[in-house]
Amino acid sequence: MAKTNSSQAIESLAAEIGNNVYMDIAKWHLYLREAHLHTVVAERVYPMLEDNSLNEGKVLQILADIPVKIGGKRDLPLADLIPTASQVNLMDILEEFQRNM
């Protein structure tokens, strides 16, 4: 039962991230849902939210550890593609989600 609840929570978190956090690619905003990265981010940050141990440095490290294939030839860390304003928005989303858990 707990697994179902956490799965639903991760899906809800992923939807919130996917709709509000974007990468900046050549001045285009590519939202994480469009790049199919929202669920990966949600799955990796959710344990911190569960443990009430949200930490910006850890979140940035998680983003740095997620490779994004560019042009089919090169991988760049997701952290390098998300502008500061969108990273702040991500932290706001995570803080709000954790408060409501």
Side-chain angles (χ1 to χ4, degrees):
M1 185 79 166
K3 183 174 174 121
T4 300
N5 288 339
S6 64
S7 294
Q8 290 172 344
I10 290 170
E11 286 179 25
S12 176
L13 178 59
E16 191 70 23
I17 291 169
N19 289 329
N20 295 291
V21 180
Y22 62 88
M23 297 182 286
D24 189 350
I25 310 286
K27 298 187 183 186
W28 286 65
H29 290 178
L30 178 62
Y31 284 85
L32 295 191
R33 77 172 179 281
E34 296 164 342
H36 305 284
L37 293 168
H38 59 303
T39 303
V40 173
V41 173
E43 289 171 344
R44 294 198 186 176
V45 299
Y46 187 76
M48 276 191 291
L49 303 179
E50 267 189 322
D51 296 341
N52 202 24
S53 63
L54 183 61
N55 175 292
E56 185 176 7
K58 290 179 185 176
V59 171
L60 293 177
Q61 185 58 53
I62 287 170
L63 296 177
D65 291 341
I66 298 173
V68 178
K69 185 139 323 263
I70 304 294
K73 297 179 182 181
R74 179 178 224 193
D75 288 338
L76 292 176
L78 181 56
D80 289 354
L81 300 171
I82 298 178
T84 302
S86 197
Q87 288 178 4
V88 168
N89 196 22
L90 173 61
M91 288 306 300
D92 291 344
I93 290 166
L94 297 177
E95 289 167 358
E96 180 70 22
F97 196 89
Q98 183 173 267
R99 273 192 297 275
N100 293 329
M101 288 181 78

